[in-house]
Amino acid sequence: MTPPRPEDQSRRYPWEDDEYKPRTRPYPTPGAPPPPDPRESARFTPPPDDKPTVPTLPKKLTVTRVAWFRTRQLSSQAVAAFRKAAHADGAKQSGLSSLTYAVMLNYAADAAMAVALANTLFFSAASGESRGKVALYLLITVAPFALVAPVIGPALDRIQHGRRVALAASCVIRVVLSIVMALNFDNWGLYPAALGSMVLSKSFTVLKAAITPRVLPREITLSKTNARMTVFGLAAGGVFGAVAAGFANLFGSPGALWFTAALCLVNAYYCLRIPSWVEVTEGEVPTSLRAKPQKPKRQALGRTVVVALWGNGAIRMLTGFLMLFAAFVVRAQTEGDALMQVLLLGVIAGAAGIGSFLGNAVGARLQFGSPDQVVIGCLTAALLTVVLAAVLPGLITAAAVGLVGATASSLAKVSLDAVIQDDVPDESRASAFGRSETILQLGWVFGGAIGVLLPTEYWIGFTVMAVLLAVGLAQTVQTKRGTTLIPGLGGDRPLRPAPVVPRPGT
């Protein structure tokens, strides 16, 4: 375990600086004496809309009125509990709650679009005989990740202002593309619009990763913050995905796409409500994956961070593989039985969803002493489960891979966030999160491509994946020991490189 970095007493958050502090909502410091001006303390009083309004009992009681009263009462309590959780630990004052709402709506829009396209893009090309459809399916589902990785990450280093506008713009364009999909659902206009919408969704994820450190409250860590946002996002995806299924049942798949457009429009509004201090990039230093950056004034990542990146990338390869490979195998083995396809895929997807919730919930509550060891342990558990699925192929072991893989992916991501927070200087943290997210996207791309191209047999797919995970585990362990299988991208670097001094005026 590397020694903790000494706390920089001069470090200030953007909202604590007089130049960026909003006049009507200063950031309170726990334990600090009240400000001299008594009017300042009133500004920290929660607004009236934070207090849930209790519905009054109707004067004339009927079954319908009592049911309506109880519904309003339970809804009010649920909203109050949600707002309390979203605003906890200083999240409202720092701006984290605003970013959380935007992330939840992005998950919701993705779920709604997936429901709308379930019988077109995600299942129509799962037949091994139609190689043209397989290639098209691979393009639609995997290309967005491949496009995001080399483009969005480096672009973040050059964006000095406009991160909120970039998030909102991605949502507005998705509104247009969702309408295009709804109007062209039965022709080829659907495919390029779907491709563009998925690219924008992944761009949103990378931009969010770079913004998160700018709204971090003092009360919680980055790893817990990201885990909490993921849990909120998964919950929103489940709820709004069910609503989208209702729209699809009533109005057909185009109805679900119109609902997706509405969600994206609302999300654009919430993106603009993120505090203005996320735009402050003065003094930021871009990061580099190389041990010795070729470009000047770039911060090299330390060995512990690279260990976490290798382990997370390997696990994301597994999750991308399982998502696409399971759809192809299930369709091939249940050709013509749509209900059985949905049931079997529901078992695997449900196991993966439970694993994701479990991993993020555990990661949000626990503090790991050795994050790099946690990453290696997660990768080892995933490898053992895949080996078991290769030896005993079937639906049960595939669901076990989904459960363990999703849990390992969530815990490993929490550990990666913790390592970046501990080992990367403040000036480079936003860039490090943006870069790390692009690497995870590439891992998903590689695994998804393998899942599409391999034969639709459980034992073949899991055997190939077991070999690749074993190579990933070997590279991760070698990196931790200070060596590497791939020159320039391993552990032949210091644990914590010396911080790079930012250039004046940047």
Side-chain angles (χ1 to χ4, degrees):
M1 178 63 184
T2 56
R5 184 184 297 278
E7 183 69 22
D8 184 3
Q9 299 298 331
S10 64
R11 174 170 172 261
R12 298 173 66 84
Y13 282 91
W15 57 84
E16 296 176 307
D17 209 354
D18 292 337
E19 182 178 354
Y20 307 111
K21 184 186 298 182
R23 294 183 179 179
T24 59
R25 190 175 294 176
Y27 184 76
T29 302
D37 188 351
R39 293 174 298 177
E40 294 291 326
S41 59
R43 297 174 183 172
F44 300 119
T45 303
D49 58 358
D50 277 354
K51 300 178 181 180
T53 57
V54 180
T56 58
L57 192 68
K59 295 181 179 180
K60 184 178 181 181
L61 297 180
T62 64
V63 174
T64 303
R65 290 183 176 181
V66 170
W68 173 246
F69 169 78
R70 289 294 296 167
T71 301
R72 290 183 58 194
Q73 186 181 44
L74 293 175
S75 300
S76 176
Q77 293 174 353
V79 170
F82 164 72
R83 292 176 66 86
K84 181 179 179 181
H87 296 169
D89 302 317
K92 183 176 182 180
Q93 290 85 354
S94 71
L96 175 61
S97 58
S98 298
L99 180 60
T100 300
Y101 297 149
V103 171
M104 291 176 63
L105 285 168
N106 190 61
Y107 271 86
D110 288 345
M113 190 177 76
V115 169
L117 305 182
N119 292 320
T120 56
L121 302 177
F122 295 100
F123 294 104
S124 64
S127 174
E129 291 81 11
S130 178
R131 305 309 298 176
K133 287 187 176 182
V134 170
L136 178 62
Y137 185 82
L138 181 63
L139 173 67
I140 295 297
T141 54
V142 173
F145 298 86
L147 290 174
V148 164
V151 175
I152 302 300
L156 287 176
D157 295 335
R158 294 189 289 269
I159 294 179
Q160 296 300 313
H161 297 284
R163 288 175 176 174
R164 293 181 301 167
V165 175
L167 284 176
S170 69
C171 297
V172 172
I173 298 175
R174 287 192 71 184
V175 172
V176 177
L177 293 177
S178 297
I179 295 175
V180 171
M181 286 188 285
L183 298 177
N184 296 273
F185 192 77
D186 296 323
N187 57 55
W188 278 90
L190 174 71
Y191 292 90
L195 174 62
S197 184
M198 296 182 75
V199 169
L200 291 169
S201 174
K202 300 311 165 185
S203 302
F204 183 100
T205 302
V206 177
L207 283 166
K208 181 268 297 181
I211 287 177
T212 303
R214 311 297 297 177
V215 294
L216 178 68
R218 288 191 178 277
E219 287 79 3
I220 53 177
T221 62
L222 272 170
S223 56
K224 292 185 177 181
T225 296
N226 284 326
R228 187 160 75 176
M229 281 197 295
T230 301
V231 170
F232 276 117
L234 290 172
V239 172
F240 286 96
V243 175
F247 274 91
N249 186 47
L250 293 175
F251 308 107
S253 294
L257 289 171
W258 284 102
F259 179 63
T260 304
L263 290 174
C264 292
L265 184 61
V266 175
N267 198 14
Y269 167 75
Y270 275 98
C271 288
L272 294 177
R273 287 179 59 87
I274 297 173
S276 59
W277 50 71
V278 301
E279 309 284 1
V280 181
T281 59
E282 183 177 358
E284 288 190 0
V285 178
T287 55
S288 174
L289 296 176
R290 296 180 178 273
K292 297 180 179 179
Q294 295 179 342
K295 295 182 179 181
K297 296 300 180 181
R298 284 186 176 268
Q299 177 67 52
L301 298 178
R303 185 192 308 172
T304 310
V305 176
V306 177
V307 169
L309 285 175
W310 274 112
N312 274 269
I315 297 174
R316 284 299 178 93
M317 176 179 62
L318 171 62
T319 57
F321 164 82
L322 185 64
M323 177 179 176
L324 300 184
F325 181 72
F328 278 65
V329 173
V330 167
R331 181 174 175 88
Q333 295 182 355
T334 59
E335 190 69 34
D337 192 344
L339 178 60
M340 183 59 64
Q341 291 173 14
V342 173
L343 291 177
L344 295 181
L345 282 175
V347 171
I348 299 175
I354 293 173
S356 184
F357 268 108
L358 178 63
N360 282 289
V362 172
R365 292 182 175 273
L366 298 183
Q367 185 171 359
F368 303 105
S370 301
D372 51 346
Q373 287 292 103
V374 174
V375 172
I376 294 176
C378 291
L379 181 53
T380 302
L383 173 59
L384 293 177
T385 310
V386 172
V387 170
L388 177 64
V391 175
L392 301 173
L395 177 66
I396 295 178
T397 50
V401 171
L403 176 64
V404 176
T407 304
S409 177
S410 300
L411 286 176
K413 180 60 169 64
V414 170
S415 301
L416 172 62
D417 295 341
V419 169
I420 291 178
Q421 183 177 16
D422 291 341
D423 289 10
V424 177
D426 297 341
E427 297 80 10
S428 301
R429 199 166 288 161
S431 177
F433 272 101
R435 295 280 180 163
S436 66
E437 192 64 38
T438 60
I439 292 174
L440 301 187
Q441 302 288 8
L442 279 177
W444 199 100
V445 169
F446 186 68
I450 294 174
V452 172
L453 297 176
L454 284 178
T456 53
E457 293 288 341
Y458 277 125
W459 73 270
I460 296 177
F462 287 126
T463 300
V464 173
M465 186 51 52
V467 173
L468 293 174
L469 286 179
V471 174
L473 178 60
Q475 171 64 15
T476 304
V477 173
Q478 288 289 93
T479 301
K480 182 175 175 60
R481 294 176 178 175
T483 59
T484 181
L485 301 177
I486 303 176
L489 296 177
D492 48 346
R493 63 182 71 210
L495 290 176
R496 285 190 180 130
V500 175
V501 180
R503 289 172 291 184
T506 61

